Amino acid sequence: AQKITQTQPGMFVQEKEAVTLDCTYDTSDPSYGLFWYKQPSSGEMIFLIYQGSYDQQNATEGRYSLNFQKARKSANLVISASQLGDSAMYFCAMREGRSGNTPLVFGKGTRLSVIA
Amino acid sequence: DARVTQTPRHKVTEMGQEVTMRCQPILGHNTVFWYRQTMMQGLELLAYFRNRAPLDDSGMPKDRFSAEMPDATLATLKIQPSEPRDSAVYFCASGLSFEPGQRYNEQFFGPGTRLTVL
């Protein structure tokens, strides 16, 4: 069973607009972490934001925020004021368990294109 | 500026040849991961190590792939013999398994090795 689902293969957004990238996850472990990574055309993986399963508040990092809805098992990434440099692949990932740095399970990704 | 380094960045080889990819984790990191990215499968775990000990290599084809950490500053991934279906980008990532006061354990990715097997 797929643990991370990203239903949007591709998205377009106008420059300066906000955009939401969807991510749903599946786990029975009460302790888990959710990550978003950005992969530009250069190929590197850039960490954007993290949300822990016990975090009371939604995570925010600059123009990135995570809309965490635990009961619905969703962790959508919101990018405010889109810039041309935001055009990239975006991956949602999950790590289960509380102990240690364990492997990430990735979704298939969403390709975001920002239009001038 | 600490970062994970990987060599080579690009490798083109012929089917049947041995391929060795190297990774230097961030100094002090005790956990190293190997991921593979393909168009069809996306990003998937091949193997990972903690304190140089292999913890999980269930994602690797055992007959042709091997992963090792000869020392704390070097991780290697070998494919012998290579096949066209091994063509992919191979990422190494490193992190800490525990750091007091750290809210989470981020994984820092290297730039990847793009492997093409003809």
Side-chain angles (χ1 to χ4, degrees):
Chain A
Q2 219 170 3
K3 293 208 167 192
I4 297 286
T5 303
Q6 294 181 254
T7 57
Q8 306 151 314
M11 291 275 289
F12 289 89
V13 64
Q14 202 77 35
E15 198 178 5
K16 298 188 179 66
E17 297 292 309
V19 63
T20 298
L21 306 183
D22 294 343
C23 173
T24 58
Y25 59 91
D26 182 30
T27 181
S28 56
D29 195 321
S31 181
Y32 53 89
L34 297 156
F35 298 75
W36 278 91
Y37 282 84
K38 173 184 178 182
Q39 187 176 43
S41 57
S42 57
E44 64 205 289
M45 294 289 287
I46 302 168
F47 166 76
L48 296 178
I49 197 167
Y50 167 87
Q51 181 83 44
S53 59
Y54 295 112
D55 291 345
Q56 295 298 311
Q57 292 188 325
N58 287 346
T60 59
E61 293 285 350
R63 293 186 299 111
Y64 304 108
S65 60
L66 205 150
N67 184 0
F68 181 46
Q69 298 188 46
K70 196 170 181 177
R72 297 178 62 181
K73 293 189 175 178
S74 74
N76 299 338
L77 177 71
V78 180
I79 305 175
S80 63
S82 298
Q83 302 172 356
L84 295 177
D86 294 334
S87 294
M89 281 291 287
Y90 288 81
F91 292 96
C92 180
M94 178 175 66
R95 179 174 62 221
E96 293 171 307
R98 189 183 265 280
S99 60
N101 201 333
T102 52
L104 299 175
V105 176
F106 287 87
K108 296 295 187 187
T110 295
R111 182 172 297 281
L112 177 67
S113 299
V114 180
I115 305 164
Chain B
D1 184 26
R3 56 184 66 192
V4 177
T5 58
Q6 289 187 247
T7 57
R9 292 292 310 277
H10 302 272
K11 177 73 176 179
V12 180
T13 190
E14 292 191 345
M15 183 172 64
Q17 297 297 304
E18 178 179 301
V19 175
T20 298
M21 290 170 270
R22 293 178 173 80
C23 166
Q24 184 171 16
I26 292 173
L27 191 64
H29 282 186
N30 64 346
T31 310
V32 175
F33 305 84
W34 284 105
Y35 294 95
R36 177 170 64 182
Q37 184 176 31
T38 61
M39 288 295 292
M40 292 298 294
Q41 301 297 325
L43 277 152
E44 53 185 354
L45 178 75
L46 293 176
Y48 85 106
F49 296 77
R50 183 170 299 152
N51 298 322
R52 295 177 57 201
L55 291 190
D56 184 355
D57 61 1
S58 58
M60 284 200 318
K62 299 289 192 301
D63 56 338
R64 298 184 301 107
F65 284 59
S66 63
E68 296 180 346
M69 281 202 73
D71 61 59
T73 64
L74 178 64
T76 63
L77 180 66
K78 288 186 182 179
I79 308 174
Q80 168 64 20
S82 57
E83 296 180 1
R85 59 181 167 151
D86 301 329
S87 297
V89 179
Y90 292 80
F91 285 103
C92 174
S94 74
L96 282 168
S97 275
F98 177 73
E99 184 175 76
Q102 188 174 20
R103 201 167 66 84
Y104 57 88
N105 302 112
E106 183 182 343
Q107 291 182 18
F108 296 81
F109 279 74
T113 293
R114 183 175 294 276
L115 173 66
T116 303
V117 183
L118 303 173

